[in-house]
Amino acid sequence: MITFEHVSKRYENGISALRDVSFGLDRGEMAFLTGHSGAGKSTLLRLVLMLERATAGRIRVNGHELQRTPSRRAPRIRQAIGMIFQDHQLLPDKSVFDNVALPLMIAGLGYREIGRRVRAALDQVGLLHRDTELPDRLSGGEQQRVGIARAIVGMPPVLLADEPTGNLDPDLSQELFGLFSHLNGQGTTVLIASHDLALIRSMGKRVLVLSDGRLVDDIAADEVGGGRA
């Protein structure tokens, strides 16, 4: 589903964010991407989303060769990828319903279909009863769940998350990681960038470790929790 082959990313200022990174994430797999601040986690996710281009190497996502995909087709690639940000990025003057509906409106779906999908997504994250609320009426954990609902409303086969629990307490973080695991159990391929090692160990999923832009470890799920992650 996601394949990196000797991928590097070097910026014009000379900084190398990724160096010769290779890994593969199978369809329906869930994995964590970890490493210190500045290790390259966010850059890797931005390459998957085609928000940036690799300097070298090959990236394949959902059957598409990203290096051969023109920029004008990037929006179509992104429609198959749900993205969850640490800061939610919700529109403050729009209701929960409208925030979740936004990707479907952009895609041009009809009102009836939008309503059906939004209600299903909000029900999945336990917020159907808050659909008319504005974001500032929600807790931090609820806002993050709205972000998850928006990411999954289009039923994407790939779900990415960039430090989604960075501003949450441990109980809420565990709850959200459980939700990601549930979505993965439904067949969604999930890749989460996180620095919360204790929480990652508790999940028992594969862990990819970045350091200074290099992939320095790839820990199988059955080894996580045994001292390596």
Side-chain angles (χ1 to χ4, degrees):
M1 179 60 76
I2 299 175
T3 304
F4 275 50
E5 296 180 1
H6 304 290
V7 172
S8 296
K9 173 63 179 178
R10 185 179 178 87
Y11 292 102
E12 292 182 0
N13 61 7
I15 294 176
S16 291
L18 293 177
R19 309 165 189 258
D20 196 30
V21 172
S22 297
F23 72 92
L25 195 64
D26 292 336
R27 185 179 300 274
E29 188 175 1
M30 179 175 178
F32 288 93
L33 183 66
T34 192
H36 59 79
S37 178
K41 303 186 297 297
S42 294
T43 297
L44 190 151
L45 296 182
R46 290 176 65 83
L47 291 178
V48 174
L49 280 167
M50 286 190 71
L51 296 175
E52 296 184 12
R53 295 278 191 167
T55 307
R58 298 175 61 192
I59 303 173
R60 291 194 297 275
V61 178
N62 199 26
H64 298 280
E65 292 271 359
L66 299 194
Q67 297 306 97
R68 299 180 180 179
T69 302
S71 296
R72 68 177 184 275
R73 294 193 60 198
R76 183 177 295 274
I77 300 294
R78 294 183 195 122
Q79 285 180 0
I81 303 172
M83 183 66 200
I84 300 161
F85 301 92
Q86 178 177 340
D87 60 359
H88 321 309
Q89 297 194 0
L90 303 180
L91 299 175
D93 59 338
K94 298 294 184 182
S95 69
V96 166
F97 183 99
D98 288 342
N99 267 282
V100 176
L102 184 60
L104 303 182
M105 293 177 179
I106 293 173
L109 271 68
Y111 181 78
R112 187 184 299 273
E113 180 64 11
I114 289 175
R116 184 186 69 81
R117 291 198 187 188
V118 170
R119 286 189 292 272
L122 287 174
D123 188 44
Q124 200 160 12
V125 300
L127 287 177
L128 183 56
H129 64 296
R130 307 297 298 273
D131 64 337
T132 62
E133 300 279 7
L134 292 177
D136 65 2
R137 302 286 294 179
L138 306 179
S139 68
E142 287 172 329
Q143 289 182 31
Q144 190 60 289
R145 282 191 279 158
V146 174
I148 294 173
R150 184 181 55 194
I152 66 174
V153 72
M155 297 179 287
V158 177
L159 186 63
L160 307 178
D162 192 2
E163 299 285 0
T165 62
N167 296 324
L168 303 180
D169 63 44
D171 288 341
L172 285 175
S173 297
Q174 185 74 56
E175 178 184 323
L176 283 184
F177 273 20
L179 179 56
F180 291 136
S181 184
H182 172 72
L183 294 169
N184 174 244
Q186 296 181 327
T188 305
T189 303
V190 181
L191 180 60
I192 302 171
S194 176
H195 64 274
D196 192 335
L197 295 181
L199 194 50
I200 289 172
R201 289 191 189 99
S202 74
M203 297 299 295
K205 301 291 185 179
R206 181 182 175 192
V207 180
L208 304 169
V209 184
L210 288 174
S211 179
D212 295 323
R214 298 185 184 277
L215 185 64
V216 296
D217 211 347
D218 185 346
I219 309 170
D222 58 4
E223 297 181 57
V224 174
R228 292 193 62 203

